[in-house]
Amino acid sequence: MQRACSTELNCPAARSLESVGDSWSMLILRDAFQGLTRFDAFQKSLGVAPNILTRRLKHLTTEGLFERRLYCERPPRYEYVLTQKGRDFFPVMMALFAWGSQYLPPEEIAMRLGNPETGEDREPLLIDRVTGRAFSPEETVIKPGPAADEVVYERIAHMRAWFLGFDA
Amino acid sequence: MQRACSTELNCPAARSLESVGDSWSMLILRDAFQGLTRFDAFQKSLGVAPNILTRRLKHLTTEGLFERRLYCERPPRYEYVLTQKGRDFFPVMMALFAWGSQYLPPEEIAMRLGNPETGEDREPLLIDRVTGRAFSPEETVIKPGPAADEVVYERIAHMRAWFLGFDA
DNA sequence: GATAGTAACTTGCATTTTGATAGTTACCGG
DNA sequence: CCGGTAACTATCAAAATGCAAGTTACTATC
């Protein structure tokens, strides 16, 4: 993608996308959350070309989402296990899953999220940890952080829409 | 990307990625949540090539996240406003933002999420709407939905890891 | 009325990334 | 020695992206 501008702003969302901002990476993570750890397993599950998979796994490893672990010395065999950083990506995955489910006709939904004990549907909801209230755009503003520079301040300055909701 | 296999499984997460599965789309949405609606505004903010922006906006529009609205008849000028589907993507964006913030050194964080009234930090947390408890991998299983076929059943069958957590 | 500016694009072409297929390394088991 | 498995690498064609310039349809200014 060869970005520059977005990165310089140090926007956390843009930064995230540098780690996981292509669909294969996301799908690899999806499968990792389902317990897959091995090259072949990912390859078979995703139908991705091995060279691409190699590249992605390498990238996700250098970005700290996976740990490449030797699980067999002779012959040398490696597996890819999620690190804490990788596991912490879970909410993003679930939010994406939920959004997809929301806008897929019910008869096309092949998977849903359930409670492991009762089997009941689970529906993810994003709230504010402090207030416990829904994390709505109306109640959320972007504020400058420690690394904010002029560009960021200017950017934040004209974000009225965020305050006013979206019924423009 | 030219997928086939993943789509056929009708996994909602994979489906989502067909709409927004490239970094530009995500960044466009990020800016849209900040109130941007116009071609030029997106272009200047992102530094993306105009042909790419055209393609992405067109795609996001056909996927139903944006509505292309004529805001000036003569000369014809269009703006891109988020639809309900687009606005519903907000939690995904926030989860991504939060994950990025979590793993960025504090001195590199240029933006943070705050309460518009108090200015205090807001921290998104994913919970289950029904139980109100944290949406953890340990308490979440994937279940077959209406469109589940043999492949899906087989896939779900060996997802023990999801039950057991990740401390393999 | 000619020139400059704005907004939303399109076109052409070089560069980059991806995808498909085949091949490699290092074993094991019969 | 032969086939099988696992994790790759190599090669090359195809597709996507990035850049710069051009286009259309105006409005506003000199």
Side-chain angles (χ1 to χ4, degrees):
Chain A
M1 192 174 142
Q2 202 212 33
R3 221 166 321 110
C5 168
S6 308
T7 309
E8 287 172 331
L9 292 174
N10 281 326
C11 166
R15 284 292 204 95
S16 299
L17 291 172
E18 280 177 31
S19 302
V20 297
D22 64 296
S23 0
W24 284 132
S25 293
M26 289 270 203
L27 291 171
I28 289 167
L29 284 167
R30 182 200 62 179
D31 282 0
F33 282 122
Q34 289 174 37
L36 303 196
T37 56
R38 298 196 185 167
F39 192 95
D40 266 35
F42 288 119
Q43 217 242 306
K44 268 160 203 145
S45 168
L46 300 172
V48 59
N51 48 355
I52 304 298
L53 184 56
T54 301
R55 213 180 299 171
R56 290 286 151 243
L57 286 172
K58 209 167 267 174
H59 185 239
L60 289 167
T61 302
T62 63
E63 292 289 325
L65 285 97
F66 280 114
E67 186 199 335
R68 189 167 179 264
R69 188 189 288 171
L70 190 74
Y71 74 90
C72 172
E73 291 208 24
R74 308 177 52 73
R77 290 291 138 83
Y78 298 92
E79 63 179 349
Y80 297 84
V81 295
L82 287 165
T83 61
Q84 187 59 44
K85 184 173 178 181
R87 291 195 293 271
D88 285 341
F89 195 77
F90 188 73
V92 183
M93 201 74 235
M94 289 302 101
L96 193 73
F97 192 102
W99 182 77
S101 306
Q102 199 178 345
Y103 287 98
L104 215 50
E107 70 273 15
E108 283 182 44
I109 296 179
M111 300 171 185
R112 58 192 179 82
L113 304 169
N115 185 310
E117 274 149 47
T118 66
E120 270 173 56
D121 273 8
R122 301 198 78 197
E123 197 189 339
L125 175 71
L126 204 72
I127 61 163
D128 177 26
R129 181 166 279 157
V130 183
T131 65
R133 298 176 57 186
F135 212 92
S136 67
E138 292 77 19
E139 290 189 294
T140 308
V141 224
I142 285 194
K143 299 262 183 186
D149 58 8
E150 275 175 46
V151 190
V152 175
Y153 275 100
E154 206 203 313
R155 185 184 259 270
I156 290 171
H158 62 84
M159 292 195 321
R160 301 163 309 269
W162 198 293
F163 287 87
L164 303 169
F166 301 95
D167 314 30
Chain B
M1 195 178 143
Q2 204 211 24
R3 220 164 319 108
C5 167
S6 308
T7 309
E8 288 173 329
L9 292 175
N10 280 327
C11 166
R15 284 294 202 95
S16 300
L17 290 172
E18 279 176 33
S19 302
V20 296
D22 63 296
S23 354
W24 284 132
S25 294
M26 289 269 202
L27 291 171
I28 290 167
L29 285 167
R30 182 200 63 178
D31 282 1
F33 281 123
Q34 289 174 37
L36 304 195
T37 55
R38 299 196 183 166
F39 191 93
D40 267 35
F42 287 120
Q43 216 240 305
K44 268 159 201 145
S45 167
L46 300 171
V48 60
N51 50 355
I52 305 299
L53 183 56
T54 301
R55 211 180 300 170
R56 289 288 152 243
L57 286 173
K58 209 166 266 173
H59 185 238
L60 289 168
T61 302
T62 63
E63 292 287 326
L65 285 97
F66 280 114
E67 186 199 335
R68 190 168 178 262
R69 186 189 289 172
L70 190 74
Y71 73 92
C72 171
E73 291 208 21
R74 308 177 51 76
R77 289 293 138 80
Y78 299 92
E79 63 179 350
Y80 297 85
V81 295
L82 287 165
T83 61
Q84 186 60 45
K85 185 173 178 181
R87 291 196 292 272
D88 285 341
F89 195 77
F90 188 74
V92 184
M93 202 74 234
M94 289 302 102
L96 193 72
F97 192 103
W99 182 77
S101 306
Q102 200 179 346
Y103 285 97
L104 215 50
E107 70 275 13
E108 282 182 47
I109 296 178
M111 299 171 184
R112 59 194 178 81
L113 303 170
N115 186 310
E117 276 149 47
T118 66
E120 270 174 58
D121 274 9
R122 300 198 80 197
E123 199 189 337
L125 175 71
L126 204 73
I127 61 164
D128 177 27
R129 182 165 276 157
V130 184
T131 65
R133 297 175 59 186
F135 214 91
S136 67
E138 292 76 18
E139 291 188 292
T140 309
V141 225
I142 285 194
K143 299 261 183 187
D149 57 8
E150 275 177 46
V151 190
V152 174
Y153 275 100
E154 205 203 313
R155 185 184 258 270
I156 290 170
H158 61 82
M159 293 194 320
R160 300 163 310 268
W162 197 294
F163 287 87
L164 303 170
F166 301 94
D167 315 28

